[in-house]
Amino acid sequence: MAVLLLAACACGNEDDFGVSTEEFAPNTGANEIINDMYVRNAFIIGSPEGESLPPGSSLPLYVTLVNQRTEPDRLVSVSASPTFKGFQVRGGGLELPVRQPVGGDVNPQALLTGSTGDLRSGIYLPVSFQFQDAGTVQMQVPVLPPSQWRATYSPWPSPTS
């Protein structure tokens, strides 16, 4: 009897069990934790497959940040030296409230500027994330082509005049 009851329970729709059928982009990015600051799914969108970008190029960086500390924090810089000369962080710095994810959508959270050489997708770059209080973490971040689900991601916003 118990076997029949269990089998009957398994016949329902996935939604009956609280499983979402919503599709999400795969986590192909880099992940790291520093002092209860979670850096999740960090990736850079680079050149189309088989192509390279010339020196001086700028590339957007996408990431989800979750502050599990007891106080708010702030992402103050992102660098990928010596491959890039500079960076911009959205809004001049990302405010990171406690236990609220920041980023993780189709908008980049940083822009790596002034590449120092030809750059192709399919590589990993050492990227440093510096937080005001949590410290600095360096991780290997993949450079992915602008294809598949990444084709719908937004570029870095143009400066307003």
Side-chain angles (χ1 to χ4, degrees), residues 20-27 104 149 153:
S20 173
T21 57
E22 183 177 356
E23 291 187 28
F24 292 95
N27 184 343
W149 52 269
Y153 275 44

Side-chain angles (χ1 to χ4, degrees), residues 85-111:
K85 293 179 184 176
F87 69 91
Q88 293 178 35
V89 175
R90 183 174 291 282
L94 287 177
E95 299 300 324
L96 304 170
V98 176
R99 292 180 185 79
Q100 293 179 26
V102 173
D105 57 17
V106 299
N107 299 304
Q109 285 66 54
L111 182 70

Side-chain angles (χ1 to χ4, degrees), residues 3-29:
V3 172
L4 288 175
L5 184 58
L6 287 174
C9 289
C11 293
N13 184 325
E14 284 185 341
D15 292 337
D16 294 341
F17 300 103
V19 176
S20 173
T21 57
E22 183 177 356
E23 291 187 28
F24 292 95
N27 184 343
T28 56

Side-chain angles (χ1 to χ4, degrees), residues 19-148:
V19 176
S20 173
T21 57
E22 183 177 356
E23 291 187 28
F24 292 95
N27 184 343
T28 56
N31 299 289
E32 193 63 67
I33 301 171
I34 180 171
N35 297 324
D36 290 328
M37 183 66 66
Y38 289 70
V39 181
R40 293 289 181 247
N41 200 23
F43 63 91
I44 299 163
I45 294 184
S47 64
E49 289 185 51
E51 297 179 26
S52 66
L53 296 172
S57 296
S58 296
L59 298 180
L61 181 141
Y62 301 82
V63 65
T64 301
L65 302 168
V66 182
N67 177 6
Q68 295 288 28
R69 299 166 58 82
T70 58
E71 298 291 326
D73 205 340
R74 187 168 197 256
L75 176 67
V76 294
S77 74
V78 176
S79 65
S81 181
T83 307
F84 287 90
K85 293 179 184 176
F87 69 91
Q88 293 178 35
V89 175
R90 183 174 291 282
L94 287 177
E95 299 300 324
L96 304 170
V98 176
R99 292 180 185 79
Q100 293 179 26
V102 173
D105 57 17
V106 299
N107 299 304
Q109 285 66 54
L111 182 70
L112 301 172
T113 60
S115 63
T116 57
D118 288 344
L119 193 60
R120 291 182 167 270
S121 291
I123 64 170
Y124 286 80
L125 293 177
V127 176
S128 294
F129 294 81
Q130 182 181 356
F131 300 94
Q132 185 171 310
D133 298 319
T136 302
V137 63
Q138 185 176 57
M139 50 201 292
Q140 294 293 319
V141 176
V143 179
L144 305 173
S147 58
Q148 300 173 350

